[in-house]
Amino acid sequence: MKKYIITVSAALALGMAFSACAKEEEVIVPIIMEGSENQQTVSTPEVTPDAAPDAAAQISKTQTVEGTGYTAVLTQEADGNGGLVYRLKASAGGNEKELMEYTAGAGDGISAEVYEIDDLFGFPAFCFELSYSMGSERTYYISADSGILKAGEGFGFESAADSDYRDDLDGDGIEELICNCTYMADGVERVYVFRFRDGKVEEGMLDKYQDIVSDEELDGAGQISQRYDPDLRAIVFTCYTEDGDKTLELKDYERFTFSEYEG
């Protein structure tokens, strides 16, 4: 991607009303809270102030997350050119899987972390986050019945603690992953929604807004902003036009198109 009843009796209607009130009062927090990481970190060798500069470049680090039914391991090693190589692997049910490898060049200022998530789509989960001076990239994984699956991604100027949320906007009882993303080349804001259906992860894009904004009003992607607001529990769609801004609060996924997430 670099790349969403009809009541049959008065009693049912009353029950739905109570449910709606409960949803409005529920507080939505980021999927990852600052300082809530559950991880073990081992660094070798220890770097002291008197150590030679190249000794720091040779430091290796391992982060291990022991989740329910899975283990995720992130290693950091020197690449021999002053940079760092990050490798992420996970095991579940006796099967180990290599998930990713990323090389950060010397002086890039990029760091990596892996965090445990208590629940995503009803499964144990974890997040791999790359952080750099201007923002971050986040990749989510779940430990499903079929093994470790890539479950979504986010990117932009903010961290996972400021951008990514879980909310059940379609009312099926299972929270979706909602990622606020920013394309840093031009600052365009988009929302991507990930859900689990029929054993597969699906990605949703908000692309049904032609009845709100005409083609004549759209001269570029930057004219449209999409962002999930946890206080409103809605996805706020805004179009900036010469005749004034057009804003719509979306509390469901009717304007989203979903397809199988390729990852």
Side-chain angles (χ1 to χ4, degrees):
M1 72 185 210
K2 296 186 179 175
K3 331 171 208 327
Y4 194 138
I5 299 184
I6 300 175
T7 60
V8 295
S9 68
L12 180 56
L14 182 60
M16 292 176 64
F18 283 141
S19 177
C21 291
K23 181 174 180 178
E24 290 297 331
E25 293 176 359
E26 184 180 349
V27 177
I28 302 299
V29 298
I31 191 168
I32 294 177
M33 299 294 292
E34 293 285 5
S36 66
E37 308 89 68
N38 181 12
Q39 60 192 33
Q40 304 169 8
T41 302
V42 179
S43 299
T44 307
E46 180 181 1
V47 179
T48 66
D50 297 328
D54 59 347
Q58 297 174 10
I59 189 170
S60 63
K61 183 171 72 172
T62 299
Q63 295 177 278
T64 302
V65 169
E66 297 282 356
T68 303
Y70 76 86
T71 300
V73 178
L74 173 65
T75 60
Q76 168 190 301
E77 298 176 344
D79 70 349
N81 296 311
L84 295 172
V85 179
Y86 296 103
R87 295 183 178 90
L88 178 65
K89 63 182 180 180
S91 58
N95 297 316
E96 186 174 88
K97 186 176 183 179
E98 299 286 342
L99 299 178
M100 62 78 62
E101 180 177 313
Y102 183 89
T103 300
D108 285 352
I110 296 176
S111 62
E113 303 285 345
V114 60
Y115 308 106
E116 180 181 11
I117 300 173
D118 57 354
D119 177 275
L120 185 57
F121 314 143
F123 298 102
F126 57 96
C127 173
F128 169 76
E129 182 169 21
L130 280 172
S131 300
Y132 34 92
S133 60
M134 292 186 63
S136 71
E137 297 179 19
R138 295 91 60 188
T139 306
Y140 295 89
Y141 299 89
I142 58 174
S143 179
D145 297 338
S146 57
I148 302 295
L149 299 178
K150 191 174 180 180
E153 60 188 295
F155 53 89
F157 295 115
E158 299 171 318
S159 66
D162 299 313
S163 303
D164 302 337
Y165 299 85
R166 289 171 294 188
D167 197 359
D168 180 19
L169 292 187
D170 61 5
D172 66 350
I174 301 177
E175 294 177 322
E176 291 77 44
L177 169 63
I178 308 173
C179 295
N180 288 320
C181 301
T182 305
Y183 290 87
M184 290 182 286
D186 49 19
V188 171
E189 292 183 315
R190 292 291 183 267
V191 170
Y192 295 96
V193 176
F194 302 89
R195 66 186 187 185
F196 193 78
R197 293 289 187 280
D198 300 322
K200 300 177 180 179
V201 177
E202 295 182 343
E203 177 184 13
M205 303 177 64
L206 200 174
D207 58 0
K208 300 174 183 176
Y209 46 78
Q210 289 76 12
D211 59 322
I212 307 172
V213 184
S214 66
D215 292 338
E216 291 74 16
E217 293 176 305
L218 292 177
D219 293 330
Q223 285 186 266
I224 292 178
S225 171
Q226 305 170 7
R227 189 168 182 84
Y228 173 78
D229 187 321
D231 296 325
L232 297 174
R233 295 198 68 178
I235 295 169
V236 180
F237 172 92
T238 304
C239 180
Y240 308 99
T241 70
E242 294 181 355
D243 297 330
D245 300 345
K246 296 183 178 181
T247 300
L248 185 66
E249 294 180 9
L250 308 175
K251 293 183 179 289
D252 54 42
Y253 300 133
E254 291 184 359
R255 293 181 178 274
F256 279 70
T257 297
F258 282 89
S259 60
E260 184 177 347
Y261 177 48
E262 300 297 335

